[in-house]
């Protein structure tokens, strides 16, 4: 690994352009870690033709990353290759979806084997892979969470969880958190509380958005509040074993019950274990547990959205909700469940599952044989290759590396947060006010990382958070390369600012 910028911090509130120029002139660009995979020759339509097809035949709301969008044609574990053969380290995992590695050979083999036997029947018939997979998946969950309904996406899973909670409790009102993302299907879209994802159409009747307990950008919280190897630099009055911010945010949740709901009646409460699209936001310690208690006291069900945090991504536990010390009534999961294959699931208790018997409910592709074979292979790879342990070790290492960059460039790197390989880096334009970095400046840094071979996600309400959720097979060498490239991009940005 090549270390850059030894010595004192170079980017404080008063930028020293001369010092930056001197350091950058002696900087060695980090070398990409080796990869023994040789991609095949690209044989599709040329880049210009693909752009034309996109413009003419793809809906315009499907936006591509980067000024010059990548045309990717092959993947291998943590690596992606574009049409020219250029290699990229994928630190976003297909939007937190590629869990065990692009084209993992064991997963590929399972899918191909099933494809050669049986593609599709639907659940009107039994087939072995669905039942094998249902048994293996529910074995990963605690308590009475033993009944699964397979669907095809996280939006479908959360949609069904909302229906299930209303059918079971015979209550109507739903609570979700501001800044949370739970999908774009019309039924569940109301629970998504980010203005950038909401259309000007009627939706969300009976859904209430509680204050988001964000200890970095929110009203309360700071350096003692998160369950993370890296704490916020924001000062707070909390003690290490006592989070006042939790109590204050919980008080705001109580207000929703006091003023917005029928007394003693709620159908369900949705919460991501760590908010994903919203910018890898972590809640204060103890908040989710207290939230679950008040929801249940008012007749509701607690729904953990594990679409991004499940399957060992957070490192210490297999499911993100386990870090909060809770057992939900319903768990939704997708993305990493199939390593990129369209697959999702809702797991609940037998009693709650019976509530769907009030009417017919059917999903044509839910439990598809190829999907189930793929999902079962993913579970086996997670266990055999110990990807959860790797997420913890590599993720903690990367978080600490990123925290050092934050400390060196506090005027631009406001916060580093997360657990395992569920990481967010919030870029700001002012350290004290925590003002989100403006999009043109963010894009300068983001684009440079891409140009130097590192693909990072983007999230948060203002699009100023780097979302780092790579395939869980990455190594510490890969993590160091990504951190070094990010540090180089930040330093070069700091130099440009100093020149102005």
């Amino acid at each position: 690994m090549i270390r850059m910028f030894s010595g004192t911090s170079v980017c404080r509130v008063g930028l020293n352009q001369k010092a930056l120029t001197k350091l950058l002139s002696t900087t060695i660009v980090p070398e990409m870690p080796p990869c023994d995979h040789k991609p095949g020759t690209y044989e599709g339509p040329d880049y210009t033709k693909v752009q034309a097809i996109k413009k003419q035949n793809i809906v315009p709301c499907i936006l591509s990353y980067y000024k010059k969008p990548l045309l990717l044609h092959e993947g291998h574990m943590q690596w992606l290759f574009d049409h020219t053969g250029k290699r990229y380290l994928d630190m976003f995992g297909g939007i937190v979806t590629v869990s065990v590695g692009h084209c993992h050979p064991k997963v590929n083999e399972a899918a191909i084997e099933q494809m050669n036997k049986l593609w599709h029947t639907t659940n009107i018939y039994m087939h072995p892979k669905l039942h094998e997979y249902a048994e293996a998946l529910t074995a990963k969950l605690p308590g009475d969470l033993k009944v699964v309904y397979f669907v095809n996406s996280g939006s479908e899973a959360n949609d069904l969880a909302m229906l299930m909670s209303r059918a079971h409790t015979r209550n109507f009102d739903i609570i979700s958190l501001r800044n949370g993302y739970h999908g774009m299907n019309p039924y569940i879209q109301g629970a998504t509380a980010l203005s950038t994802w909401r259309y000007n159409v009627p939706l969300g009747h009976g859904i209430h958005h509680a204050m988001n307990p964000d200890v970095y950008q929110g009203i309360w919280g700071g350096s003692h509040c998160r369950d993370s190897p890296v704490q916020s630099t924001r000062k707070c009055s909390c003690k290490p074993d006592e989070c006042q911010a939790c109590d204050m945010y919980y008080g705001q949740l109580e207000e929703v019950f006091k003023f917005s709901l029928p007394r003693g009646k709620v159908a369900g409460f949705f919460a991501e274990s760590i908010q994903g699209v919203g910018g890898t936001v972590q809640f204060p310690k103890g908040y989710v547990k207290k939230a679950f208690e008040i929801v249940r006291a008012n007749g509701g069900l607690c729904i953990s959205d594990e679409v991004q945090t499940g399957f060992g991504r957070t490192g210490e536990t297999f499911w993100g909700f386990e870090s909060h010390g809770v057992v939900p009534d319903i768990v939704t999961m997708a993305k990493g469940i199939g390593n990129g294959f369209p697959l999702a699931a809702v797991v609940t208790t037998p009693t709650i599952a019976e509530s769907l018997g009030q009417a017919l409910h059917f999903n044509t592709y839910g439990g598809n044989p190829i999907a189930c074979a793929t999902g079962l292979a993913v579970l086996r790879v997670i266990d055999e290759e110990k990807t959860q342990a790797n997420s913890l070790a590599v993720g903690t290492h990367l978080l600490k590396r990123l925290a050092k960059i934050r400390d060196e460039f506090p005027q631009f790197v406001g916060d580093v947060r997360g657990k395992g390989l569920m990481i967010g880096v919030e870029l700001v334009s002012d350290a004290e006010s925590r003002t989100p970095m403006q999009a043109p400046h963010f894009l300068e840094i983001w684009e440079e990382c891409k140009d130097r071979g590192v693909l990072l996600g983007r999230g948060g309400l203002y699009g100023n958070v780097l979302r780092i959720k790579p395939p869980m097979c990455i190594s510490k060498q890969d993590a160091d390369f990504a951190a070094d490239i990010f540090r180089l991009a930040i330093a070069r940005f700091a130099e440009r600012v100093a020149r102005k």
Side-chain angles (χ1 to χ4, degrees), residues 1-2 12 52 84 142 150 187-189 193 205 222 282 454 490 494:
M1 179 187 67
I2 299 171
R12 298 296 174 185
T84 70
F150 290 114
Y187 196 57
I188 193 63
Q189 192 177 145
H205 181 53
Q282 291 183 277
V454 176
I490 283 284

Side-chain angles (χ1 to χ4, degrees), residues 12-13 61 70 139 141 162 248 273 304 358 380 394 442 458 484 496:
R12 298 296 174 185
V13 175
C61 66
L70 296 176
L141 287 131
M162 184 182 291
M248 301 298 283
S273 295
S304 285
Q358 298 172 28
R380 288 171 177 165
V394 177
F442 179 95
R458 187 182 180 196
D484 286 342
R496 291 192 292 272

Side-chain angles (χ1 to χ4, degrees), residues 39-54 58 64-75 80-88 450 455:
T41 302
Y42 175 70
E43 298 177 347
D46 65 32
Y47 189 88
T48 303
K49 176 65 174 177
V50 171
Q51 284 186 309
I53 293 170
K54 176 175 172 55
I58 306 295
S64 297
Y65 271 12
Y66 307 118
K67 294 175 183 177
K68 185 178 181 180
L70 296 176
L71 177 54
L72 301 172
H73 86 107
E74 194 164 329
L80 288 169
F81 302 84
D82 71 10
H83 67 296
T84 70
K86 182 176 179 179
R87 179 161 57 102
Y88 298 87
K450 179 266 292 182
L455 304 183

Side-chain angles (χ1 to χ4, degrees), residues 317-446:
T317 56
F318 197 84
W319 306 105
F321 65 76
E322 294 175 288
S323 295
H324 295 285
V326 298
V327 177
D329 302 296
I330 301 174
V331 182
T332 60
M333 56 195 77
K335 291 189 179 288
I337 189 175
N339 199 46
F341 197 95
L343 173 63
V346 180
V347 178
T348 189
T349 68
T351 302
I352 296 170
E354 287 178 2
S355 303
L356 284 182
Q358 298 172 28
L360 291 175
H361 195 285
F362 185 72
N363 187 303
T364 300
Y365 294 101
N368 169 272
I370 304 171
C372 290
T374 301
L376 185 58
V378 170
L379 282 184
R380 288 171 177 165
V381 169
I382 289 172
D383 288 343
E384 291 169 3
E385 300 185 2
K386 297 179 172 53
T387 60
Q388 180 182 328
N390 192 62
S391 290
L392 178 60
V394 177
T396 300
H397 174 78
L398 179 55
L399 277 161
K400 291 178 178 179
R401 282 289 322 271
L402 293 169
K404 290 179 180 178
I405 299 171
R406 176 202 61 191
D407 295 343
E408 189 170 8
F409 299 90
Q411 188 64 7
F412 303 119
V413 184
D415 196 31
V416 172
R417 52 186 178 250
K419 293 186 68 176
L421 289 172
M422 182 83 179
I423 298 171
V425 179
E426 183 155 354
L427 303 188
V428 297
S429 60
D430 181 80
E432 294 301 317
S433 66
R434 304 182 298 282
T435 303
M437 181 178 281
Q438 295 180 352
H441 295 159
F442 179 95
L443 293 176
E444 286 184 44
I445 298 163
W446 191 52

Side-chain angles (χ1 to χ4, degrees), residues 465-483:
V465 181
L466 293 170
R467 296 174 65 195
I468 302 174
K469 286 95 177 176
M472 295 185 289
C473 58
I474 69 162
S475 67
K476 287 185 178 180
Q477 186 181 16
D478 299 328
D480 282 329
F481 172 69

